[in-house]
Amino acid sequence: METRRRRASPFAVVIALVVSAVAVVALFAAGIVAERVNRAGPVAAAGAPAEKPAKKPAKTLAETAKRTARPPGVGDPVRDGKFEFVVSRVDCSRTSFGIEQLKRTAEGRYCVVTLSVRNIADEPKYFLGLAQKARDTDGEEYGYDEVAGLYANRNTRTFLEKLNPGDRVTGDLVFDIPRRVTLAALELHDFPLSGGVTVTL
């Protein structure tokens, strides 16, 4: 008796094709994942602490110093234009200079600022006392008393002489200020219209 072959139904053929396609896609995807894992390197072990992000660079020493630096004061060298200045002393105890008929008397009191000046230019220069200013704690300005300055500096080689490159002289700046006023700062200038530099007193 001849056995009859059973023909597969169309529905079974479709299912077989779908299963085959899914298997191919799955294998293809697995291959891509494996390749990416190999490129990325080993995965961190479970529970291991995550790598911390890199810290931002610390602020530079220059920035820190700029914020913490105090303003220049007595004993600190400062510069404006072609001069370097150093204030070494402040004395506000005088009320007069000179003797007898040549005496110069303050309207208030004299503040005498001892100052060294060095020419840092490559040419001779004059230091002008009249370009210098003093300020009190309220910001009021006081000009240089030229006549009192002549008396105060009569025995020294000072600001009336031209300074050659590299020369340094020390003399006194004299300011006539009210008796109850306290000087807070000195504004020093290379010449009257220069930017100036401030020294706290």
Side-chain angles (χ1 to χ4, degrees), residues 25-42:
V25 170
L27 290 174
F28 182 74
I32 292 176
V33 170
E35 183 179 357
R36 288 186 177 178
V37 169
N38 288 337
R39 287 182 182 175

Side-chain angles (χ1 to χ4, degrees), residues 11 13 17 64 68 82 112 114 156 168 180 183 200:
F11 182 72
V13 172
L17 290 175
T64 304
T68 59
K82 303 302 182 180
V112 182
T114 302
T156 58
R168 182 192 298 273
R180 295 185 179 180
L183 287 189
T200 56

Side-chain angles (χ1 to χ4, degrees), residues 112-115 144 149 152-153 156 158-159 170-174:
V112 182
V113 179
T114 302
L115 176 74
Y144 174 66
N153 295 297
T156 58
T158 56
F159 309 137
T170 300
D172 293 326
L173 294 176
V174 183

Side-chain angles (χ1 to χ4, degrees), residues 121-155:
D122 55 3
E123 60 184 3
K125 286 184 65 69
Y126 281 106
F127 171 77
L128 301 177
L130 290 174
Q132 318 313 318
K133 301 174 183 178
R135 289 200 303 270
D136 64 21
T137 52
D138 294 325
E140 188 73 24
E141 289 188 353
Y142 303 91
Y144 174 66
D145 189 321
E146 188 173 15
V147 176
L150 289 174
Y151 285 126
N153 295 297
R154 66 184 182 278
N155 295 324

